[in-house]
Structures are given as structure tokens and as C-alpha cells.
Amino acid sequence: MLSLIIPCFNEEAALPIFFQKILQVVQEMGCGYELIFINDGSTDRTLKLLEDFSVQDPDHRFYLSFSRNFGKEAAIYAGFCNAHGDYIAVIDADMQDPPSLLPQMLSLLESGEYDSVATRRVNRSGEPPVRSWFARQFYRLINKISDADIVDGARDFRLMRREVVEAILAMGESNRFSKGIFGWVGFRTCWLPYENKERVAGESKWSFTKLFRYAVDGIISFSQVPCSIASWFGVVMTICAFLFMLFVIVRKLLFGDPVTGWASLVCIIIFIGGLQLFCLGIIGQYIAKTYMETKQRPHYIIAKTNMEGAIKIR
Ligand code: UDP
Ligand code: MG
């Protein structure tokens, strides 16, 4: 059986198109299936659409409606917790993840060669160039400084065996950076490249600032390298200070000591002060994350669902 997990946040415009396409694809595939829609605190008619859609075939169509917006990562987590299939896929509702790839993904898994089939977009058409540039730099950086293998252009659109999903669920952290988590659990992954598609309707929920924060969160979740930045600054500054000391002593011996250097002194003090605050900030980020993790708050809360026995809080 195949479980499809579809996170939806204000997708009233895209859902009717998605319903039609996904039904066509699963019927063509002819295997057992369940569609699990997660309504992530939408403020438009998304929930109404999902209810109406599920009523027509309550054995195959389910919705889990959150008590508020918890974010896509939480929606994916809730889907994984409540999926019953042997094969489990995550797919966006906006048609940017083409459902027509599913049959090919399934046959790749069934061949037994892979445990997980992931997709990656080969171009970033329809995206502002500045954003693409930052995205590329982010992937280069995070792959250098963390041991999670994060592929540039990787989408969350994936089909996985149950074992992989169980491994993912065993990672109970509340700061969930899916791209890193998928890579971290390992397993044999097949990458399917495809041309970037623009969403059929509605708007992306990602502004540039949101993406930037997401990138910082990703780095903090999967790397400790920023923590050692302070030590490296410390080493470099000590060496500089030592060289400067030699310079001052030599100058004193050769030319006497005219009391100058007020301006440079102030610059140095401000510079070091800035560096110290910067490093404190990095440590602060890690402490804040640790603080949130220790609270062990639930990842999501389901307020309404048509799935019997669904795990409502976890
Ligand atoms: N989404 C969600 N919760 C959120 C933001 C997005 O469930 O807080 C869903 C959204 O409905 C869509 C998918 O996640 O199905 C991807 O969102 P979006 O298209 O905005 O992101 P992009 O494709 O631009 O990365
Ligand atoms: Mg999208």
C-alpha cells in the first residue's frame, strides 16, 4: 500500500487541480493507497475542501487538521506518524511536485535496488537570481560543515520504504530540518532530476527573510562548526596581538615613545567588542535551540480529523 502525505497551508486555489490529478495517477497505478492531507492551520477554505473531498471516499481519503499553523515540517511529521502504507511519499499540494513522477518512483523502489527515491530540481527557473545565488551558497556551506548529505535543489518530494520513515520518526527533535533529516538517516537513495515547475495557483509561503532564517536553522541543527568560530577568532587575534606587541617594543627601542595611537586603539576596542558579541550571538543561537528542545513540546496538535485512531498529539 502507498501512503501519500500532502501538507496544505492556504491551498484553496491549488487543491481542486491537485485532487483531480492525484486521483488520476493513483488509479492508473492500480495499487492500494491512502491520501493523507494535513491542513496546517489554513485561514482560507482549505479545510472545507478537504472535508468535502474526504467524505466522497472515506476509506482512502483522510485529513488531519492542525489546531494552528505548525509549519510544513510538523505537517510532514504528523503524516509520517499516521501513515499506514508500506511505501510513503511526501508531495506538495501546489503541483510543483509532479504527481506524474509517482509511478516511476514506485517502480524504482519495487525493483529492490533503493530504499528511497528523492527528487531534485535541475534548474531554478522562475526564481529571482539573488535568491538562487544565496541558495547555492547555502548548499555549498552546509555540505562543508555538516555530515548530513544535503543535495542542492533537493525537494521534500520523496517516496520511501516504511523502514526509512521509521528511522526519520526516531529523530525526535523539535527543530526539524527535513532536508538534513532525510540525508542524515542514510539508506540507498535514488535521485530523480526534473525541471522546476511553478506552482499552479496560490502563493509560495516563503519570503526571503523566512528562507534566510530557515537556512540558519538548518546550519545550527546540523553543524557545530559555528561554535568553533570563536576559538579560531581567538587564535588569530592572539597572534595579531603578539605581532603588534613586538612592533610596539621595537618602535619604542628605535624611536622612543611618542604617545600616539588613540584612534587605532579605539578601533581595536570596538572591533574586538563586535567580535565578542558576534560569537556570543552564535552561542546564544545554540543555547536557544537547546532550550526549546529540552521543553519537549509536541510537534503538532490535531484539532479535527476523519481518521480513526489517529495520533492527535505527538
Ligand atoms: N506548507 C505547509 N505549512 C506551511 C507552509 C507551507 O503545510 O507553513 C505546505 C504548502 O501548502 C505546500 C508545501 O508546504 O503544499 C510547500 O509550500 P510552498 O509551495 O509555499 O513552498 P515552496 O514550494 O515555494 O518551497
Ligand atoms: Mg511550492
Side-chain angles (χ1 to χ4, degrees):
M1 181 163 96
L2 174 67
S3 298
L4 295 179
I5 293 164
I6 309 123
C8 308
F9 176 52
N10 293 345
E11 296 288 3
E12 64 175 0
L15 275 177
I17 307 167
F18 181 80
F19 288 155
Q20 203 192 353
K21 184 70 192 167
I22 199 75
L23 284 181
Q24 189 193 333
V25 170
V26 287
Q27 271 150 21
E28 267 168 26
M29 286 164 78
C31 56
Y33 72 93
E34 63 178 1
L35 303 177
I36 305 177
F37 293 89
I38 292 96
N39 171 35
D40 186 12
S42 303
T43 49
D44 63 359
R45 290 172 49 251
T46 299
L47 178 58
K48 179 83 177 67
L49 288 178
L50 293 179
E51 285 172 338
D52 293 348
F53 182 69
S54 313
V55 159
Q56 297 164 26
D57 184 359
D59 293 335
H60 294 106
R61 306 178 191 174
F62 304 101
Y63 66 86
L64 309 170
S65 182
F66 285 177
S67 60
R68 65 169 170 86
N69 179 262
F70 280 88
K72 184 181 179 187
E73 309 288 341
I76 295 176
Y77 188 81
F80 284 163
C81 289
N82 291 295
H84 304 96
D86 310 299
Y87 298 118
I88 299 169
V90 179
I91 179 166
D92 284 1
D94 60 4
M95 305 288 291
Q96 279 190 302
D97 300 337
S100 52
L101 282 180
L102 281 170
Q104 190 191 351
M105 292 163 82
L106 186 66
S107 60
L108 275 167
L109 270 200
E110 281 181 330
S111 75
E113 244 177 281
Y114 300 105
D115 302 305
S116 159
V117 181
T119 58
R120 137 186 121 69
R121 49 181 182 171
V122 283
N123 60 344
R124 291 177 166 271
S125 67
E127 198 185 59
V130 187
R131 185 181 287 203
S132 303
W133 186 84
F134 271 102
R136 268 199 306 278
Q137 300 312 312
F138 165 71
Y139 285 109
R140 274 179 53 183
L141 179 69
I142 195 157
N143 277 311
K144 264 198 198 128
I145 64 178
S146 82
D147 51 7
D149 175 25
I150 299 171
V151 174
D152 188 359
R155 306 265 320 161
D156 291 337
F157 183 27
R158 281 183 178 247
L159 180 65
M160 289 162 278
R161 283 180 202 284
R162 204 169 178 90
E163 293 89 311
V164 182
V165 169
E166 261 148 32
I168 291 169
L169 283 177
M171 296 176 78
E173 61 221 70
S174 44
N175 286 291
R176 297 190 77 77
F177 180 67
S178 278
K179 288 185 201 316
I181 291 177
F182 290 148
W184 194 89
V185 294
F187 290 101
R188 298 166 302 169
T189 304
C190 170
W191 286 96
L192 270 189
Y194 73 94
E195 291 280 314
N196 189 32
K197 300 230 174 359
E198 292 192 34
R199 55 160 51 238
V200 281
E203 271 170 23
S204 171
K205 281 86 200 170
W206 292 96
S207 62
F208 186 78
T209 19
K210 256 181 129 179
L211 274 177
F212 188 79
R213 288 190 48 189
Y214 184 65
V216 172
D217 280 351
I219 291 174
I220 292 188
S221 296
F222 277 90
S223 172
Q224 279 90 23
V225 170
C227 275
S228 48
I229 286 180
S231 327
W232 286 112
F233 275 146
V235 172
V236 172
M237 299 297 285
T238 312
I239 294 171
C240 288
F242 183 72
L243 293 176
F244 194 62
M245 202 167 71
L246 285 180
F247 168 72
V248 171
I249 292 171
V250 170
R251 192 176 61 172
K252 158 84 181 153
L253 294 177
L254 294 183
F255 305 107
D257 185 16
V259 183
T260 54
W262 179 89
S264 55
L265 200 63
V266 170
C267 290
I268 292 168
I269 290 173
I270 294 175
F271 176 65
I272 295 181
L275 269 188
Q276 283 175 334
L277 285 182
F278 174 68
C279 295
L280 261 184
I282 294 178
I283 299 170
Q285 291 282 338
Y286 282 90
I287 294 178
K289 293 270 184 259
T290 314
Y291 175 60
M292 290 316 288
E293 294 291 346
T294 53
K295 290 186 185 228
Q296 303 220 320
R297 287 182 179 162
H299 296 94
Y300 67 84
I301 300 168
I302 294 175
K304 196 171 182 208
T305 175
N306 69 335
M307 184 191 272
E308 238 176 83
I311 303 169
K312 291 200 173 160
I313 300 180
R314 182 156 158 193

